[in-house]
């Protein structure tokens, strides 16, 4: 039902099949173009922010009124999010709606990649999954799933360009990991306050940016530690303060952390 974007298949097929009888240099050029086509599957940061902003403006998800009370503790609420198998019907519906929002922000709707990212988002919040609340395990699983997807489609094509399935092509996908980390953060916070990006925006407005920055920083720090990335906690404060000016809070936090981690600006946060 879900097929890899037609333009991507076309780009890969054309570059590979035309390689028969074409000089090796031509193969390299066409292969690079194919990698660029694959790498453009997901939205750019600017496009993701535009989608998130539109979702905030059009959101009909109501924030949980308890989240607006003075004694509400966001850190505790996020830590106490139930596993998918323990969610009530309403909680599961909320979870599904938030995940669908995140897929729109990432830009993986209507492709086989949607299944990869959706399955891994669900697995992150499912205690029966091997990737439950583990950023490192989730990233490894995503890389594995995407590599399998690549090989499935490339196996039908010209073997003379099989080098495309190597590290370079995997790296093109790996550059999207900031988006997955951002989606996890957005989903966790959204579940805690009872809504998607629109609810998160309302929560920030109700608290004020200064208080929201304090609460978000404490929450994200504790979650990164719980999710297996304690070394990133030091950079959260600045990242959160910057992110509050945007609609895709989680995505911007992840990108800002990436600017400050061990391998800066490589497209994914280093665990």
């Amino acid at each position: 039902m879900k097929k890899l974007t037609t333009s991507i298949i076309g780009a890969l097929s054309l570059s590979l099949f035309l390689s028969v009888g074409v000089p090796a240099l031509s193969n390299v050029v066409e292969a690079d173009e194919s990698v660029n086509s694959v790498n453009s599957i997901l939205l750019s940061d600017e496009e993701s922010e535009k989608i998130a902003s539109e979702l905030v403006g059009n959101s009909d998800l109501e924030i949980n009124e308890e989240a607006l009370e003075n004694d509400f503790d966001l850190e505790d609420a996020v830590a106490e999010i139930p596993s998918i198998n323990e969610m009530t019907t309403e909680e599961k519906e909320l979870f599904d709606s938030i995940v669908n929002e995140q897929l729109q922000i990432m830009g993986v709707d209507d492709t086989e990649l949607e299944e990869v990212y959706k399955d891994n988002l669900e697995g992150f919040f499912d205690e029966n999954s091997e990737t439950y609340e583990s950023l490192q395990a989730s990233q490894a699983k995503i890389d594995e799933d995407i590599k399998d997807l690549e090989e499935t489609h490339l196996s039908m094509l010209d073997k003379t360009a099989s080098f495309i399935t190597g590290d370079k092509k995997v790296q093109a996908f790996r550059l999207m990991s900031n988006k997955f980390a951002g989606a996890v953060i957005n989903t966790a916070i959204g579940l805690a306050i009872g809504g998607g990006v629109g609810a998160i925006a309302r929560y920030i407005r109700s608290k004020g940016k200064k208080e929201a920055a304090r609460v978000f920083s404490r929450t994200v720090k504790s979650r990164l530690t719980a999710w297996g990335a304690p070394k990133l906690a030091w950079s959260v404060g600045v990242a959160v303060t910057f992110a509050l000016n945007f609609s895709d809070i989680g995505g911007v936090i992840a990108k800002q952390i990436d600017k400050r981690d061990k391998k800066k600006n490589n497209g994914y946060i280093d665990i």
Side-chain angles (χ1 to χ4, degrees):
M1 181 174 67
K2 298 174 182 176
K3 297 182 178 179
L4 193 64
T5 306
T6 302
S7 61
I8 298 168
I9 291 294
L12 287 170
S13 301
L14 180 62
S15 65
L16 292 174
F17 281 119
L18 289 180
S19 65
V20 178
V22 179
L25 180 59
S26 177
N27 284 343
V28 173
V29 173
E30 290 170 353
D32 285 342
E33 291 176 350
S34 296
V35 171
N36 289 334
S37 295
V38 174
N39 195 30
S40 67
I41 295 172
L42 302 187
L43 299 179
S44 67
D45 293 335
E46 292 75 16
E47 291 170 326
S48 289
E49 174 57 23
K50 181 179 179 181
I51 293 295
S53 180
E54 291 173 352
L55 288 169
V56 168
N58 299 326
S59 176
D60 58 359
L61 287 175
E62 293 294 331
I63 189 172
N64 185 342
E65 294 300 325
E66 292 181 0
L68 301 178
E69 296 178 0
N70 292 331
D71 59 351
F72 176 76
D73 190 316
L74 181 63
E75 181 181 2
D76 286 346
V78 171
E80 294 170 1
I81 292 172
S83 169
I84 287 179
N85 61 300
E86 296 178 346
M87 289 181 179
T88 64
T89 299
E90 290 184 353
E91 288 172 336
K92 185 57 167 61
E93 289 177 352
L94 174 62
F95 175 79
D96 290 340
S97 67
I98 293 175
V99 167
N100 287 335
E101 270 196 351
Q102 291 308 305
L103 292 174
Q104 291 181 60
I105 292 172
M106 295 167 74
V108 291
D109 55 318
D110 298 326
T111 72
E112 284 178 319
L113 281 176
E114 178 183 13
E115 186 172 345
V116 170
Y117 281 97
K118 184 176 182 179
D119 286 349
N120 280 280
L121 269 174
E122 291 176 345
F124 191 89
F125 292 92
D126 183 357
E127 64 182 2
N128 294 319
S129 169
E130 61 184 11
T131 61
Y132 180 56
E133 294 193 340
S134 173
L135 288 173
Q136 187 173 16
S138 293
Q139 186 55 57
K141 183 67 164 53
I142 290 172
D143 284 349
E144 179 183 341
D145 290 346
I146 291 177
K147 187 174 182 180
D148 288 344
L149 189 60
E150 295 169 9
E151 293 175 348
T152 296
H153 287 282
L154 289 174
S155 64
M156 300 179 294
L157 306 179
D158 195 305
K159 293 182 180 180
T160 61
S162 62
F163 62 87
I164 292 183
T165 60
D167 290 341
K168 184 175 181 180
K169 191 156 185 289
V170 173
Q171 178 66 16
F173 282 105
R174 190 171 289 161
L175 292 174
M176 305 303 174
S177 297
N178 277 354
K179 292 185 180 296
F180 181 77
V184 168
I185 293 172
N186 281 339
T187 302
I189 294 175
L191 285 170
I193 64 176
V197 289
I200 294 175
R202 182 183 172 190
Y203 179 84
I204 293 171
R205 289 195 300 270
S206 69
K207 292 291 183 181
K209 284 190 176 180
K210 183 176 181 179
E211 176 61 12
R214 185 187 70 80
V215 173
F216 276 47
S217 294
R218 189 182 68 186
T219 301
V220 176
K221 284 179 181 179
S222 68
R223 286 300 88 201
L224 286 177
T225 298
W227 296 340
K231 293 182 180 179
L232 299 177
W234 69 271
S235 62
V236 168
V238 176
V240 167
T241 299
F242 185 85
L244 294 183
N245 296 311
F246 297 84
S247 297
D248 179 16
I249 301 297
V252 177
I253 289 175
K255 183 179 180 180
Q256 289 297 309
I257 290 176
D258 179 31
K259 286 185 176 181
R260 297 168 175 81
D261 65 5
K262 185 177 180 180
K263 298 179 180 178
K264 298 177 176 57
N265 296 314
N266 64 345
Y268 62 100
I269 60 175
D270 298 281
I271 308 303

